[in-house]
Amino acid sequence: MKLTLDGVGHAFLGRAVFENIDLSLAEGEVVALIGPSGCGKTTLLQIAAGLLEPLRGRVRRAYRRHAVVFQEPRLLPWMTARDNIAYGLRAAGSGKRSQAETAERRAAEVGLQAGDLDKYPAELSGGMRQRTAVARAFAVDPDVVFFDEPFTAVDVGLKRTLQNLVIEAAARDHFSALFVTHDLSEAVRVAHRLVVLSNRTRGIVANRVIAGTPGTRRDRMIFETIEGWSRDPVFCELFDNERQHAL
Ligand SMILES: Nc1ncnc2c1ncn2[C@@H]1O[C@H](COP(=O)(O)OP(=O)(O)OP(=O)(O)O)[C@@H](O)[C@H]1O
Ligand SMILES: [Mg+2]
């Protein structure tokens, strides 16, 4: 296992968010973490990534490097797209020339044009900024990538393109990933396994291996999988949530 959470619990100001979470990521495995707003997905991701110390339980990491992609791109505004992508490489101490080469290769992989690389974040579109953030994460050759609703703010067409980039990169580079999302169809597209976190029980209510391999599932299969789950009680909080959004 690349990452193991063992009996992890957390609370803010004495209010429990979740208790007794056991979760692991195998090598090359993409796990989607889904659950209603406020159930603690971001908190759990931050604990898994070492950005937050859990109150209870332990986290074991068996990898060298990880990267995080947040919902907002979090680029440094005074740096060009190229320098933002290369940022983690500078910290790792690689040479200037190899930094630039890696940044350009990673930029091309996420569909950025050469001309975009000299632009500053303010000169990029929202979609281009998020591509830059994904390229910056992949540039460090991570063994594990943490995604916190990375594509929630982008439009539907681009969302699919960015999901495909993640699927291709995971298959090519064999990183493991924890992918937080609100979107069940996104989860079923990108992940090998789905973990559902509940507000009511403050824990994991479902842990399902998704049939097939990311990137090879047809839209119909994705639709039917979600259709099937919509009748399953462990998913009801998610669907309640969606119904509320629809109203
Ligand atoms: N720094 C903090 N201080 C106090 N409470 C916090 C803090 N961060 C999160 N919380 C609380 O912990 C709970 C879980 O928050 P978290 O952000 O992990 O939820 P989430 O599942 O990621 O929600 P969303 O889907 O809306 O992003 C919420 O009740 C939130 O108000
Ligand atoms: Mg969140």
Side-chain angles (χ1 to χ4, degrees):
M1 290 297 158
K2 292 275 131 184
L3 177 80
T4 311
L5 274 65
D6 233 338
V8 164
H10 200 70
F12 289 110
L13 310 167
R15 276 192 55 179
V17 182
F18 44 69
E19 289 153 9
N20 255 319
I21 302 283
D22 295 329
L23 182 65
S24 57
L25 283 182
E27 183 164 4
E29 186 183 34
V30 179
V31 172
L33 178 64
I34 197 162
S37 188
C39 71
K41 302 182 294 297
T42 295
T43 305
L44 192 59
L45 178 135
Q46 289 181 336
I47 289 170
L51 300 168
L52 184 69
E53 197 54 39
L55 277 184
R56 279 176 291 279
R58 36 190 237 137
V59 181
R60 275 173 290 168
R61 300 186 182 84
Y63 59 80
R64 291 164 309 152
R65 268 189 303 277
H66 71 230
V68 189
V69 183
F70 300 94
Q71 184 172 350
E72 355 48 84
R74 302 203 187 178
L75 304 175
L76 296 169
W78 58 86
M79 283 188 186
T80 61
R82 177 186 284 102
D83 290 344
N84 267 288
I85 295 170
Y87 187 74
L89 300 169
R90 287 211 289 189
S94 48
K96 263 217 134 57
R97 193 185 176 115
S98 101
Q99 280 175 33
E101 279 169 11
T102 305
E104 278 158 31
R105 177 168 54 85
R106 293 303 190 169
E109 279 169 15
V110 302
L112 287 168
Q113 310 289 315
D116 298 331
L117 289 179
D118 294 317
K119 292 180 179 165
Y120 288 87
E123 300 169 314
L124 299 171
S125 71
M128 285 151 81
R129 279 183 216 141
Q130 203 55 323
R131 287 179 199 260
T132 306
V134 172
R136 174 183 58 189
F138 293 170
V140 300
D141 274 331
D143 307 300
V144 177
V145 187
F146 297 99
F147 296 92
D148 192 358
E149 307 208 36
F151 310 138
T152 302
V154 301
D155 73 67
V156 178
L158 180 58
K159 200 178 212 185
R160 242 184 124 83
T161 307
L162 293 173
Q163 288 165 355
N164 289 340
L165 288 172
V166 170
I167 293 165
E168 284 158 23
R172 183 187 59 224
D173 300 338
H174 305 292
F175 55 72
S176 311
L178 184 64
F179 195 107
V180 169
T181 177
H182 263 112
D183 179 347
L184 258 175
S185 61
E186 177 164 83
V188 179
R189 291 196 80 223
V190 305
H192 297 101
R193 185 156 60 91
L194 177 73
V195 167
V196 183
L197 201 58
S198 159
N199 252 332
R200 292 187 196 140
T201 67
R202 301 210 178 94
I204 292 173
V205 283
N207 186 344
R208 300 278 165 91
V209 171
I210 306 164
T213 312
T216 64
R217 299 182 187 120
R218 307 221 171 268
D219 283 348
R220 188 178 176 81
M221 178 264 175
I222 293 170
F223 177 79
E224 285 171 356
T225 302
I226 295 169
E227 227 352 69
W229 286 342
S230 71
R231 289 184 290 273
D232 186 329
V234 300
F235 289 94
C236 68
E237 268 180 274
L238 292 175
F239 291 100
D240 285 353
N241 211 28
E242 270 175 27
R243 271 176 221 123
Q244 276 162 18
H245 278 305
L247 290 175

Short mmCIF file of all heavy atoms in Angstrom, two decimals, residues 12-13 15 17-18 35-44 46 71 148-149 180 182 197, ligand 1:
data_model
loop_
_atom_site.label_atom_id
_atom_site.label_comp_id
_atom_site.label_asym_id
_atom_site.label_seq_id
_atom_site.Cartn_x
_atom_site.Cartn_y
_atom_site.Cartn_z
N PHE A 12 -13.23 19.46 14.90
CA PHE A 12 -12.88 20.88 14.97
C PHE A 12 -13.65 21.48 16.13
O PHE A 12 -14.88 21.33 16.20
CB PHE A 12 -13.26 21.61 13.68
CG PHE A 12 -12.39 21.26 12.50
CD1 PHE A 12 -12.90 20.51 11.45
CD2 PHE A 12 -11.07 21.70 12.44
CE1 PHE A 12 -12.10 20.19 10.36
CE2 PHE A 12 -10.27 21.39 11.34
CZ PHE A 12 -10.78 20.64 10.31
N LEU A 13 -12.95 22.16 17.01
CA LEU A 13 -13.58 22.84 18.14
C LEU A 13 -14.51 21.88 18.90
O LEU A 13 -15.63 22.22 19.26
CB LEU A 13 -14.38 24.06 17.67
CG LEU A 13 -13.62 25.03 16.75
CD1 LEU A 13 -14.58 26.02 16.09
CD2 LEU A 13 -12.53 25.76 17.52
N ARG A 15 -16.14 19.41 17.83
CA ARG A 15 -17.20 18.76 17.04
C ARG A 15 -16.58 17.73 16.10
O ARG A 15 -15.79 18.08 15.22
CB ARG A 15 -17.94 19.81 16.19
CG ARG A 15 -19.03 20.51 16.98
CD ARG A 15 -19.93 21.31 16.07
NE ARG A 15 -20.52 20.52 14.99
CZ ARG A 15 -21.36 21.03 14.10
NH1 ARG A 15 -21.69 22.30 14.14
NH2 ARG A 15 -21.87 20.26 13.15
N VAL A 17 -15.87 15.41 13.12
CA VAL A 17 -16.19 15.41 11.68
C VAL A 17 -16.38 13.97 11.22
O VAL A 17 -17.38 13.63 10.61
CB VAL A 17 -15.06 16.10 10.87
CG1 VAL A 17 -15.44 16.14 9.38
CG2 VAL A 17 -14.81 17.51 11.38
N PHE A 18 -15.40 13.13 11.55
CA PHE A 18 -15.53 11.69 11.27
C PHE A 18 -14.70 10.93 12.30
O PHE A 18 -13.84 11.50 12.98
CB PHE A 18 -15.10 11.33 9.84
CG PHE A 18 -13.83 11.99 9.40
CD1 PHE A 18 -12.62 11.64 9.95
CD2 PHE A 18 -13.85 12.98 8.43
CE1 PHE A 18 -11.45 12.25 9.56
CE2 PHE A 18 -12.68 13.61 8.02
CZ PHE A 18 -11.47 13.24 8.60
N GLY A 35 -19.22 12.29 -1.04
CA GLY A 35 -20.08 12.43 0.13
C GLY A 35 -20.68 13.82 0.13
O GLY A 35 -20.19 14.71 -0.56
N PRO A 36 -21.75 14.02 0.92
CA PRO A 36 -22.42 15.32 0.92
C PRO A 36 -21.51 16.43 1.44
O PRO A 36 -20.53 16.17 2.13
CB PRO A 36 -23.62 15.10 1.84
CG PRO A 36 -23.30 13.90 2.64
CD PRO A 36 -22.39 13.05 1.83
N SER A 37 -21.87 17.65 1.11
CA SER A 37 -21.09 18.81 1.53
C SER A 37 -20.96 18.84 3.05
O SER A 37 -21.94 18.60 3.76
CB SER A 37 -21.78 20.07 1.02
OG SER A 37 -20.94 21.17 1.26
N GLY A 38 -19.77 19.08 3.54
CA GLY A 38 -19.55 19.20 4.98
C GLY A 38 -19.26 17.88 5.69
O GLY A 38 -19.08 17.86 6.91
N CYS A 39 -19.22 16.76 4.96
CA CYS A 39 -19.01 15.47 5.62
C CYS A 39 -17.54 15.23 5.96
O CYS A 39 -17.23 14.27 6.67
CB CYS A 39 -19.56 14.32 4.78
SG CYS A 39 -18.59 13.99 3.31
N GLY A 40 -16.66 16.08 5.44
CA GLY A 40 -15.25 15.96 5.84
C GLY A 40 -14.30 15.46 4.76
O GLY A 40 -13.20 15.02 5.06
N LYS A 41 -14.69 15.56 3.51
CA LYS A 41 -13.84 15.08 2.41
C LYS A 41 -12.52 15.84 2.35
O LYS A 41 -11.44 15.25 2.27
CB LYS A 41 -14.56 15.21 1.06
CG LYS A 41 -15.88 14.45 1.00
CD LYS A 41 -16.55 14.57 -0.35
CE LYS A 41 -17.00 15.97 -0.71
NZ LYS A 41 -18.05 16.51 0.21
N THR A 42 -12.63 17.18 2.41
CA THR A 42 -11.41 17.99 2.35
C THR A 42 -10.53 17.74 3.58
O THR A 42 -9.32 17.62 3.47
CB THR A 42 -11.78 19.48 2.23
OG1 THR A 42 -12.44 19.67 0.98
CG2 THR A 42 -10.57 20.39 2.30
N THR A 43 -11.19 17.62 4.72
CA THR A 43 -10.45 17.35 5.96
C THR A 43 -9.69 16.03 5.85
O THR A 43 -8.50 15.95 6.19
CB THR A 43 -11.44 17.31 7.15
OG1 THR A 43 -12.17 18.54 7.16
CG2 THR A 43 -10.74 17.12 8.47
N LEU A 44 -10.36 15.01 5.33
CA LEU A 44 -9.73 13.70 5.20
C LEU A 44 -8.57 13.76 4.19
O LEU A 44 -7.50 13.18 4.41
CB LEU A 44 -10.77 12.66 4.77
CG LEU A 44 -10.33 11.20 4.87
CD1 LEU A 44 -9.95 10.85 6.31
CD2 LEU A 44 -11.43 10.26 4.39
N GLN A 46 -6.79 16.37 3.48
CA GLN A 46 -5.68 17.11 4.08
C GLN A 46 -4.91 16.25 5.08
O GLN A 46 -3.69 16.34 5.16
CB GLN A 46 -6.21 18.37 4.77
CG GLN A 46 -6.67 19.39 3.73
CD GLN A 46 -7.19 20.66 4.37
OE1 GLN A 46 -7.63 20.65 5.52
NE2 GLN A 46 -7.15 21.75 3.63
N GLN A 71 -9.38 22.75 -5.77
CA GLN A 71 -10.49 23.22 -6.61
C GLN A 71 -10.11 24.50 -7.35
O GLN A 71 -10.41 24.66 -8.52
CB GLN A 71 -11.73 23.45 -5.75
CG GLN A 71 -12.94 23.85 -6.57
CD GLN A 71 -14.21 23.88 -5.75
OE1 GLN A 71 -14.25 23.44 -4.60
NE2 GLN A 71 -15.27 24.39 -6.34
N ASP A 148 -8.67 17.57 -4.86
CA ASP A 148 -9.84 18.01 -4.09
C ASP A 148 -10.81 18.77 -5.00
O ASP A 148 -10.64 19.97 -5.21
CB ASP A 148 -9.42 18.88 -2.89
CG ASP A 148 -10.58 19.10 -1.92
OD1 ASP A 148 -11.70 18.60 -2.19
OD2 ASP A 148 -10.38 19.76 -0.89
N GLU A 149 -11.77 18.06 -5.54
CA GLU A 149 -12.76 18.64 -6.46
C GLU A 149 -12.09 19.53 -7.51
O GLU A 149 -12.45 20.70 -7.66
CB GLU A 149 -13.80 19.45 -5.68
CG GLU A 149 -14.41 18.63 -4.56
CD GLU A 149 -15.81 19.06 -4.23
OE1 GLU A 149 -16.55 19.45 -5.16
OE2 GLU A 149 -16.18 18.98 -3.05
N VAL A 180 -11.26 13.52 -4.64
CA VAL A 180 -12.49 13.98 -3.99
C VAL A 180 -13.38 14.63 -5.04
O VAL A 180 -12.92 15.46 -5.83
CB VAL A 180 -12.18 14.99 -2.86
CG1 VAL A 180 -13.45 15.67 -2.37
CG2 VAL A 180 -11.47 14.30 -1.70
N HIS A 182 -17.83 15.73 -5.93
CA HIS A 182 -19.25 15.74 -5.61
C HIS A 182 -20.03 14.94 -6.63
O HIS A 182 -21.22 14.71 -6.48
CB HIS A 182 -19.79 17.18 -5.75
CG HIS A 182 -19.85 17.92 -4.48
ND1 HIS A 182 -19.03 18.99 -4.24
CD2 HIS A 182 -20.62 17.76 -3.40
CE1 HIS A 182 -19.31 19.46 -3.04
NE2 HIS A 182 -20.27 18.73 -2.51
N LEU A 197 -18.42 8.76 2.00
CA LEU A 197 -18.35 9.26 3.37
C LEU A 197 -19.72 9.86 3.72
O LEU A 197 -20.34 10.52 2.88
CB LEU A 197 -17.26 10.34 3.40
CG LEU A 197 -16.61 10.72 4.71
CD1 LEU A 197 -15.97 9.50 5.37
CD2 LEU A 197 -15.52 11.77 4.45
N1 LIG B 1 -10.44 24.87 9.86
C1 LIG B 1 -11.65 24.54 10.32
N2 LIG B 1 -12.11 24.99 11.50
C2 LIG B 1 -13.32 24.63 11.97
N3 LIG B 1 -14.17 23.82 11.32
C3 LIG B 1 -13.77 23.33 10.14
C4 LIG B 1 -12.50 23.67 9.56
N4 LIG B 1 -12.39 23.04 8.36
C5 LIG B 1 -13.53 22.36 8.21
N5 LIG B 1 -14.36 22.51 9.25
C6 LIG B 1 -15.68 21.87 9.43
O1 LIG B 1 -15.52 20.48 9.28
C7 LIG B 1 -16.60 19.91 8.53
C8 LIG B 1 -16.05 19.21 7.32
O2 LIG B 1 -15.51 20.15 6.41
P1 LIG B 1 -14.85 19.75 5.03
O3 LIG B 1 -14.37 20.99 4.40
O4 LIG B 1 -13.86 18.66 5.26
O5 LIG B 1 -16.12 19.16 4.24
P2 LIG B 1 -16.25 18.70 2.72
O6 LIG B 1 -16.84 17.34 2.73
O7 LIG B 1 -14.96 18.89 2.02
O8 LIG B 1 -17.35 19.71 2.15
P3 LIG B 1 -17.50 20.31 0.66
O9 LIG B 1 -18.08 19.19 -0.16
O10 LIG B 1 -18.49 21.42 0.84
O11 LIG B 1 -16.17 20.77 0.19
C9 LIG B 1 -17.54 21.06 8.24
O12 LIG B 1 -18.54 21.05 9.21
C10 LIG B 1 -16.67 22.28 8.36
O13 LIG B 1 -17.44 23.39 8.77
#
